[in-house]
Amino acid sequence: MSEKRPFITLSQAQDIIADVPTPFHLYDEKGIRENARRVNQAFAWNKGFKEYFAVKATPNPYLLSILKEEGCGVDCSSYTELLLSEACDFSGSEIMFSSNDTPAEDMKKAYDLNAYINLDDLTHVDFLAKVAGVPKTVFCRYNPGGTFDLGNGIMDNPGDAKYGMTENQMAEAYTRLMAMGAEKFGIHAFLASNTVTDDYYPELAGILFELAVRLHKRTGANIKYINLSGGVGVAYRPEQRENDIMTIGEGVRKKFEEILVPAGMGDIAIFTEMGRFMLAPYGCLVTTAIHEKHIYKEYIGVDACAANLMRPAMYGSYHHITVLGKEDAPCDHKYDVTGGLCENNDKFAIDRMLPKIDRGDVLVIHDTGAHGFSMGYNYNGKLRSAEVLLREDGSHQLIRRAETPADYFATLDCTPYYKKLEL
């Protein structure tokens, strides 16, 4: 079994905690930058390549700005994400807008920003024309239906997904959009989530490259972009092997050379929309053990809860846990690590073998840099935590303060009920 080591030491954590009480999400600037550079290197063979970071994974302007400096764009799916991206100076072709069941104001905002708009459904062709207009470049999202497998079992079930169009609908959408003035087209698809295999992107690329050739022959559409979307996962468990982005990029290149180049379509730009792969390993939830309980099982209660990290409670997801200062101690105690919500599924770990944990110990919950803070909520009146950036020089910066009770009450029109409180 391989090791999972946190990117901070106990001493570093204690320095941060002196300024920012736990719980908080912490991000590693050095790791984020190095990973973004690896991704760009892996696809450097494609002249038009761009990674559009999935804003929904970690919507913080400091992190978006770091990724912008490394050449990334943004993938947005809502009005607010578009506003956040605009505030970070993303514009035009730096923004990909992929949405479903899209409100009119969202579509209009994307159009006004001159973003790449990715249509989820055939009916959205007329919707786009009506509420905004038809830009010169339009993407359409493809759903092949059925199941998706890599020869070693089913990876996912596109046929059960609400996203995308059939091939016939794609052809009709392109034809109608060309009649409305569109000149360049893109293809987008997402067939599997959190894959830990180097084969996923190349297999998906092959499917989309062949689709591009067929659609071009069928409609005459000038297809210039193919967006592989996200789905490249991370090794949440220590025993899992990590994806090798260089091998993945080379696998996509081979499919490109085999399928698109002979068809005279070798000028197509490849896009990706990774959120989890870009940030998950470079974030962690830092929390303090505040209680222990000894009944039918052994429990350690921490000051974080599922409102700070929903994935274990919602999906049963595994997140590795390190007790800082006890990295090399034997894992000879079996614990459920719990939060304080009035829900029995509020557990970060169940029957997890860990070193002996004492009250006051600082725990790092790994791989929360994507779909961690962003999925937080206020159930039980819990307040969203702070976010902190560990800078490359070892200093730390508060990049989102923790919510306060005043924030919780701010949207309630009930001043008489809490005007006496000191918030």
Side-chain angles (χ1 to χ4, degrees):
M1 180 181 292
S2 62
E3 282 190 293
K4 259 189 179 291
R5 289 273 178 168
F7 55 80
I8 54 163
T9 63
L10 176 59
S11 176
Q12 286 176 301
Q14 289 171 335
D15 286 344
I16 298 171
I17 292 168
D19 293 334
V20 185
T22 56
F24 54 81
H25 285 270
L26 179 69
Y27 306 98
D28 177 20
E29 180 184 9
K30 182 174 185 290
I32 292 168
R33 290 189 184 276
E34 290 176 350
N35 188 52
R37 292 167 189 170
R38 281 193 297 270
V39 169
N40 286 327
Q41 182 184 356
F43 290 91
W45 54 267
N46 183 262
K47 186 171 65 174
F49 172 76
K50 198 171 189 69
E51 155 61 22
Y52 289 81
F53 174 71
V55 175
K56 60 180 167 287
T58 323
N60 188 292
Y62 289 87
L63 303 180
L64 296 184
S65 295
I66 288 172
L67 292 170
K68 189 176 194 297
E69 290 170 6
E70 297 300 335
C72 299
V74 282
D75 160 41
C76 300
S77 57
S78 71
Y79 186 85
T80 312
E81 289 179 357
L82 288 168
L83 288 180
L84 177 58
S85 299
E86 183 182 22
C88 294
D89 294 324
F90 291 94
S91 63
S93 61
E94 294 177 318
I95 304 172
M96 178 71 63
F97 181 65
S98 295
S99 176
N100 69 97
D101 197 15
T102 309
E105 67 170 355
D106 297 36
M107 193 72 85
K108 180 67 164 57
K109 182 63 177 178
Y111 180 84
D112 290 344
L113 287 173
N114 200 27
Y116 285 144
I117 295 175
N118 180 32
L119 299 181
D120 182 65
D121 186 67
L122 178 59
T123 63
H124 290 185
V125 172
D126 290 338
F127 178 71
L128 172 64
K130 178 181 178 181
V131 305
V134 176
K136 296 298 183 184
T137 300
V138 184
F139 285 66
C140 290
R141 186 167 184 167
Y142 174 58
N143 185 330
T147 59
F148 175 74
D149 67 73
L150 290 172
N152 58 354
I154 294 173
M155 301 289 291
D156 220 321
N157 294 279
D160 290 336
K162 66 176 181 175
Y163 308 108
M165 310 183 203
T166 67
E167 182 170 340
N168 286 338
Q169 289 175 332
M170 295 274 288
E172 183 178 346
Y174 283 177
T175 301
R176 291 170 58 184
L177 286 162
M178 282 188 287
M180 294 175 176
E183 298 174 357
K184 297 178 182 179
F185 296 91
I187 296 173
H188 173 287
F190 178 96
L191 300 189
S193 179
N194 193 30
T195 61
V196 189
T197 168
D198 296 339
D199 297 330
Y200 169 61
Y201 255 6
E203 184 72 16
L204 172 62
I207 291 170
L208 298 187
F209 295 166
E210 290 172 352
L211 174 67
V213 173
R214 292 196 303 271
L215 287 173
H216 174 66
K217 289 179 178 177
R218 181 173 174 179
T219 67
N222 184 15
I223 299 171
K224 303 295 289 184
Y225 314 98
I226 293 180
N227 188 335
L228 303 178
S229 188
V232 177
V234 299
Y236 284 101
R237 294 177 178 270
E239 65 270 19
Q240 288 180 298
R241 67 171 292 276
E242 296 179 348
N243 280 321
D244 183 341
I245 197 64
M246 301 305 295
T247 299
I248 291 171
E250 176 62 14
V252 174
R253 186 196 66 79
K254 288 180 179 178
K255 294 286 187 179
F256 191 94
E257 297 289 339
E258 291 170 7
I259 299 167
L260 290 180
V261 172
M265 301 172 72
D267 61 344
I268 284 179
I270 303 300
F271 296 163
T272 57
E273 290 176 349
M274 294 181 286
R276 194 187 313 269
F277 184 83
M278 296 302 293
L279 250 63
Y282 312 106
C284 62
L285 177 57
V286 182
T287 183
T288 301
I290 58 173
H291 289 288
E292 55 184 286
K293 184 171 184 174
H294 315 284
I295 48 173
Y296 308 105
K297 302 180 75 173
E298 297 292 300
Y299 294 94
I300 294 294
V302 296
D303 57 6
C305 66
N308 306 116
L309 178 64
M310 182 195 288
R311 296 186 73 253
M314 185 176 186
Y315 302 121
S317 303
Y318 179 96
H319 280 264
H320 200 64
I321 295 175
T322 296
V323 184
L324 292 181
K326 299 181 179 179
E327 291 88 345
D328 298 315
C331 294
D332 53 4
H333 285 63
K334 183 187 289 188
Y335 294 114
D336 282 14
V337 180
T338 73
L341 289 185
C342 298
E343 297 289 340
N344 196 47
N345 67 352
D346 182 17
K347 296 179 179 180
F348 294 114
I350 298 173
D351 294 334
R352 185 78 58 87
M353 297 305 297
L354 292 164
K356 183 180 184 303
I357 299 175
D358 300 301
R359 277 177 284 185
D361 279 349
V362 179
L363 280 62
V364 162
I365 303 177
H366 291 247
D367 301 316
T368 71
H371 310 289
F373 179 92
S374 65
M375 295 178 74
Y377 51 97
N378 287 125
Y379 180 63
N380 262 182
K382 295 293 186 179
L383 304 174
R384 289 177 176 86
S385 71
E387 291 182 292
V388 180
L389 180 63
L390 180 64
R391 288 293 191 182
E392 288 186 288
D393 63 5
S395 64
H396 62 270
Q397 180 179 1
L398 183 67
I399 59 174
R400 189 192 303 265
R401 66 166 175 81
E403 283 185 338
T404 67
D407 296 319
Y408 182 85
F409 285 106
T411 57
L412 293 170
D413 185 19
C414 58
T415 305
Y417 296 101
Y418 65 87
K419 66 181 179 181
K420 297 179 182 178
L421 300 177
E422 294 183 7
L423 300 177

